[in-house]
Amino acid sequence: MASERATRSRPRWQKVLLALAVGSAAALVLAEVTVRVVKWIVDPGMVTASQLSSGIAAKPAPGQPYRLGHLIRAARNPDIIFELVPGLDVEFQGVRVVTNADGFRGPRRSREKPANGYRIVGLGDSVLFGW
């Protein structure tokens, strides 16, 4: 009798657990979509489709602050989504951002590796950018 009860309750437990898992996953997906849509509507500094198709955003009007969309462009390399615009010397969120002709921060370096030296390039996200 006890073993019959245990067999009947096990499938119910699994159904409850499955319903909780599916409900939690659906809630997380809905929350993610909501946050992205709200951010897209509220944040005018986001990169737009026209910026991606043209490769670079137009410079802001004189006296207007630079936004992230002004600093980045669609990368030519398909493995990299965005890259910094080369030749910048602007203020972004109160910090000076300078890029060299290759689109890297810092002084221009020769393409040839120096003798007895190393080449280190950092590819990353906002943390590497300094945010």
Side-chain angles (χ1 to χ4, degrees):
M1 187 92 157
S3 65
E4 261 182 56
R5 203 178 302 156
T7 351
R8 280 192 224 153
S9 65
R10 195 174 300 159
R12 183 174 174 213
W13 228 134
Q14 290 174 352
K15 289 178 184 177
V16 169
L17 191 59
L18 180 62
L20 281 172
V22 169
S24 297
L28 288 172
V29 168
L30 182 63
E32 177 74 19
V33 169
T34 303
V35 167
R36 287 180 185 242
V37 168
V38 168
K39 183 157 176 62
W40 177 73
I41 291 170
V42 172
D43 188 1
M46 288 187 65
V47 179
T48 63
S50 64
Q51 291 170 331
L52 288 177
S53 63
S54 66
I56 187 170
K59 290 187 178 183
Q64 294 296 314
Y66 272 77
R67 297 184 182 268
L68 180 61
H70 300 122
L71 304 180
I72 61 174
R73 67 180 184 187
R76 292 185 181 102
N77 183 332
D79 294 330
I80 303 171
I81 301 170
F82 300 111
E83 61 187 14
L84 291 171
V85 174
L88 288 176
D89 188 355
V90 299
E91 186 174 315
F92 175 66
Q93 295 188 350
V95 177
R96 185 174 179 208
V97 176
V98 180
T99 59
N100 62 28
D102 295 320
F104 294 110
R105 294 180 81 179
R108 179 135 192 191
R109 308 278 183 202
S110 69
R111 293 193 184 265
E112 293 78 34
K113 179 181 167 269
N116 300 325
Y118 294 96
R119 285 293 169 109
I120 301 173
V121 175
L123 299 176
D125 57 6
S126 58
V127 173
L128 190 64
F129 179 72
W131 244 337

